[in-house]
């Protein structure tokens, strides 16, 4: 395995027994924030790209637990105990207190302590702005498990998968790729290619490759997962239906639009019959089919389809959910393709604002929304505003991908064109 799980501890000088971070705001150390985005196109005539929903990587996907409380009780001899105060504490405080207590009693290397710290890391990973703290804790646990249990132990590999997912979520894509590859390789060798954990890591690696703009590498991984799940579970298992949708989305990102349309046209009726028109699985597949119609420039079909998907998302997961933002982005892509630029702009402004509120200024999805809005602003002649957005994208892409990534180079080219061609008037 590579040293991706050692990086933060080496920088900070933390040992394996370092205490978990408290639940307060994290001190800024001056390092850049990591961002990410979906694939874009060329310079001055670019429309927002349809985003396909991401399949779950299967690692660290447990629901966010609730917090707790501290009870202060008065004890008087000869009288029953009386509760005089109850202090509510957040889930971060509760998990941090529990982790520190177990470490103090048993030591950091005890299995119960590692479980408690990993539980805290999971909570932090799901809290806005705490991803870097989660990475640090996961690295401490992974390093200790490597030493105590070995690099191929099932618990070590499971921690590694959760760490890979958080590295991806925080925009540290190159480290995430190393983590996913090491974890997938280790699970395949020790658990077998058919094990659910191995399949989950294959999906995680594939989603990461898609975010890196390498969909052609992701598609075979997702196809293999689909074929294995069909063989193990049968054609109608929920995991098989989810994998069918994920593979179809990969075909779409590879430009194999006709194949994607055939797969999704067969999948959507099956999902509607089994779950109903507004179920989350059905809506995800319908969204992908709408994206295919957009890529095939069948805009007259795509517009009502995508409006229906937006309505379904708003009804099922709410107006402020990531899936709803994706659906609205895809509707804007249809309107842009039809030349209705002024109709697309307010939708994309709202999508960007929604991502900022939900995930922060530096999130992968926020960068993609910023890029998409800039592309449409170019077409309506608002070059100065578009240039400001793309300047931020250039900084984000440089942090995420490095200096030579095609996405960064394309954005730099587009920004240079804008500066050389200011809008008239």
């Amino acid at each position: 395995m590579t040293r991706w799980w050692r990086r933060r501890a080496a920088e900070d000088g933390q040992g394996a027994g370092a205490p978990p971070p408290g639940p307060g705001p994290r001190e800024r150390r001056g390092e850049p924030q990591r961002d990410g985005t979906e694939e874009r196109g060329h310079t001055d005539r670019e429309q927002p790209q349809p985003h396909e929903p991401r399949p779950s990587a299967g690692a660290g996907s447990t629901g966010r637990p609730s917090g707790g409380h501290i009870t202060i009780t008065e004890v008087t001899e000869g009288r029953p105990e009386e509760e005089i105060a109850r202090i509510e504490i957040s889930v971060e405080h509760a998990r941090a207190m529990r982790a520190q207590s177990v470490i103090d009693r048993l030591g950091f290397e005890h299995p119960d302590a590692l479980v408690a710290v990993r539980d805290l890391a999971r909570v932090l990973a799901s809290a806005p702005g705490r991803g870097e703290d989660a990475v640090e804790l996961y690295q401490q646990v992974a390093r200790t498990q490597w030493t105590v249990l070995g690099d191929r132990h099932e618990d070590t590999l499971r921690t590694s998968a959760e760490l890979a997912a958080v590295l991806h979520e925080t925009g540290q894509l190159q480290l995430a790729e190393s983590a996913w590859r090491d974890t997938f390789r280790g699970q395949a060798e020790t658990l077998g290619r058919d094990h659910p954990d191995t399949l989950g890591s294959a999906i995680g690696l594939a989603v990461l490759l898609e975010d890196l703009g390498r969909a052609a590498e992701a598609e075979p991984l997702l196809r293999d997962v689909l074929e294995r799940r069909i063989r193990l579970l049968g054609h109608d298992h929920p995991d098989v239906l989810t994998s069918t949708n994920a593979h179809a989305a990969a075909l779409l990102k590879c430009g194999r639009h006709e194949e994607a349309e055939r797969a999704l046209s067969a999948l959507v009726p099956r999902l509607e019959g089994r779950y109903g028109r507004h179920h989350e699985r059905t809506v995800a597949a319908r969204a992908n089919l709408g994206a295919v119609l957009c890529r095939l420039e069948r805009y007259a079909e795509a517009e009502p389809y995508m409006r229906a998907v937006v309505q379904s998302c708003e009804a099922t997961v709410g107006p402020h959910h990531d899936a709803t933002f994706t659906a609205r982005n895809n509707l804007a892509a249809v309107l842009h393709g039809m030349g209705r630029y002024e109709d697309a702009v307010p939708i994309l402004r709202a999508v960007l604002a929604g991502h900022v509120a939900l995930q922060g200024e530096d999130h992968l999805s926020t960068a993609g929304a910023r890029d998409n809005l800039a592309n449409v602003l170019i077409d309506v002649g608002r070059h100065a505003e578009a240039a400001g957005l793309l300047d931020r994208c250039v900084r984000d892409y440089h942090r995420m991908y490095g200096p030579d990534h095609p996405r960064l180079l394309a954005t730099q080219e587009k920004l240079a064109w804008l500066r050389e061609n200011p809008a008239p008037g």
Side-chain angles (χ1 to χ4, degrees):
M1 296 178 80
T2 57
R3 296 174 64 86
W4 46 266
W5 49 270
R6 296 178 184 265
R7 182 186 65 89
R8 179 63 61 185
E11 289 180 2
D12 296 344
Q14 293 177 336
R26 181 172 180 265
E27 179 183 355
R28 295 287 182 182
R29 298 181 181 143
E31 73 272 25
Q33 298 296 305
R34 283 80 173 179
D35 302 312
T37 185
E38 298 285 341
E39 182 177 359
R40 307 292 160 228
H42 303 291
T43 54
D44 60 322
R45 296 285 299 174
E46 183 176 13
Q47 70 182 63
Q49 295 297 302
H51 294 203
E52 295 79 28
R54 295 181 180 179
S56 170
S61 57
T62 56
R64 183 168 172 80
S66 59
H69 63 270
I70 298 174
T71 301
I72 300 175
T73 304
E74 182 180 48
V75 180
T76 304
E77 185 176 355
R79 297 175 57 184
E81 294 183 3
E82 180 181 359
E83 179 180 317
I84 59 175
R86 176 173 296 200
I87 304 171
E88 300 296 327
I89 58 175
S90 68
V91 62
E92 288 87 354
H93 274 97
R95 290 296 188 269
M97 292 170 63
R98 180 178 183 276
Q100 191 62 65
S101 174
V102 179
I103 291 171
D104 290 343
R105 287 186 292 108
L106 304 174
F108 190 87
E109 294 185 354
H110 193 280
D112 290 351
L114 294 174
V115 169
V117 176
R118 189 167 64 182
D119 285 346
L120 172 60
R122 287 172 177 162
V123 171
L124 294 177
S126 64
R130 303 304 302 277
E132 287 283 355
D133 289 328
V135 167
E136 292 181 17
L137 288 186
Y138 272 124
Q139 287 174 334
Q140 291 180 38
V141 174
R143 184 173 60 255
T144 305
Q145 288 178 328
W146 173 289
T147 302
V148 175
L149 303 175
D151 65 311
R152 289 297 189 265
H153 191 278
E154 188 171 355
D155 285 347
T156 305
L157 292 168
R158 187 168 293 118
T159 298
S160 299
E162 295 187 22
L163 171 55
V166 180
L167 287 168
H168 185 178
E169 183 68 16
T170 55
Q172 303 177 63
L173 303 189
Q174 295 176 3
L175 288 174
E177 181 179 0
S178 295
W180 275 128
R181 288 194 183 279
D182 287 341
T183 305
F184 176 52
R185 186 183 305 113
Q187 289 173 330
E189 292 173 357
T190 58
L191 304 176
R193 289 293 298 271
D194 291 338
H195 192 278
D197 287 356
T198 308
L199 297 177
S201 291
I203 295 170
L205 175 58
V207 174
L208 184 279
L209 291 170
E210 289 178 342
D211 275 350
L212 287 169
R214 292 152 56 187
E217 297 178 51
E219 185 273 329
L221 281 169
L222 293 172
R223 182 178 66 246
D224 182 71
V225 171
L226 174 59
E227 291 171 350
R228 290 177 186 277
R229 282 181 166 174
I230 289 173
R231 175 170 51 80
L232 294 168
L233 304 172
H235 285 272
D236 294 325
H237 191 277
D239 289 349
V240 172
L241 299 176
T242 298
S243 287
T244 302
N245 185 46
H247 180 245
L251 292 172
L252 172 59
K253 292 174 182 177
C254 288
R256 295 159 62 177
H257 301 153
E258 290 78 10
E259 293 178 67
E261 183 188 13
R262 286 194 296 271
L264 291 165
S265 295
L267 176 63
V268 168
R270 292 173 62 195
L271 293 171
E272 289 180 342
R274 179 164 183 168
Y275 297 109
R277 185 174 179 81
H278 300 296
H279 189 274
E280 186 175 359
R281 283 194 176 95
T282 309
V283 172
R286 288 169 59 210
N288 280 337
L289 183 53
V292 172
L293 295 174
C294 182
R295 294 286 177 87
L296 292 171
E297 299 184 359
R298 289 158 54 182
Y299 300 120
E301 297 175 63
E303 182 186 1
Y305 203 93
M306 292 312 305
R307 290 191 184 278
V309 169
V310 170
Q311 292 176 354
S312 293
C313 287
E314 291 175 342
T316 54
V317 297
H320 306 299
H321 192 277
D322 187 58
T324 306
F325 299 149
T326 297
R328 290 173 181 158
N329 175 86
N330 290 354
L331 174 60
V334 172
L335 297 173
H336 188 277
M338 300 172 75
R340 294 163 56 184
Y341 308 137
E342 292 288 358
D343 292 336
V345 167
I347 296 175
L348 292 173
R349 286 195 193 280
V351 169
L352 175 57
H355 280 302
V356 169
L358 180 65
Q359 296 149 325
E361 291 279 0
D362 301 315
H363 194 270
L364 295 157
S365 299
T366 305
R370 189 177 286 118
D371 201 344
N372 277 341
L373 175 58
N375 295 329
V376 180
L377 289 172
I378 292 171
D379 278 325
V380 297
R382 302 175 196 172
H383 289 191
E385 184 180 358
L389 294 170
L390 291 176
D391 184 68
R392 171 63 187 267
C393 289
V394 165
R395 299 197 304 271
D396 292 343
Y397 295 167
H398 191 277
R399 288 194 295 269
M400 285 191 316
Y401 303 115
D404 300 317
H405 193 276
R407 190 165 298 164
L408 171 63
L409 298 177
T411 306
Q412 289 174 326
E413 179 186 354
K414 185 164 44 180
L415 182 58
W417 181 91
L418 280 173
R419 288 171 174 166
E420 294 169 3
N421 298 270

